[in-house]
Amino acid sequence: MNAWFGTAVDWVLSADFTVVAIAVVVFMITEARRLKMKRVWLYILLSGVTAMAFTFPLFMAMRERQLAKISSTQIAV
């Protein structure tokens, strides 16, 4: 934690990244529930292993696939 919050500049950047990460996680969870997507926890877990810059676009791509699937089933009905 000292490396993240050592100096004032480190504190500002770390706090900014933390706020963005929390907002992204909340967005992922709410969108996954709304669209009935499965395994949203996997994207959150992967963001700790890889980076949010990888998992958030991956989540958005899977979200688009889910939206297309929903719209195709609505057209078919």
Side-chain angles (χ1 to χ4, degrees):
M1 290 302 278
N2 282 340
W4 277 43
F5 298 100
T7 66
V9 174
D10 294 337
W11 196 92
V12 169
L13 287 173
S14 298
D16 187 43
F17 289 142
T18 303
V19 168
V20 169
I22 290 169
V24 166
V25 167
V26 168
F27 174 75
M28 287 172 144
I29 291 170
T30 56
E31 279 295 293
R33 285 184 181 167
R34 183 177 71 88
L35 299 174
K36 296 181 175 92
M37 293 173 64
K38 298 177 183 176
R39 296 182 208 78
V40 69
W41 59 269
L42 191 58
Y43 300 108
I44 297 167
L45 182 68
L46 274 172
S47 67
V49 176
T50 58
M52 189 66 72
F54 171 73
T55 56
F56 185 63
L58 178 63
F59 171 78
M60 293 301 286
M62 295 299 112
R63 177 182 173 267
E64 287 298 316
R65 288 182 67 187
Q66 183 71 11
L67 286 171
K69 181 179 168 186
I70 290 170
S71 68
S72 70
T73 56
Q74 288 177 350
I75 292 171
V77 173

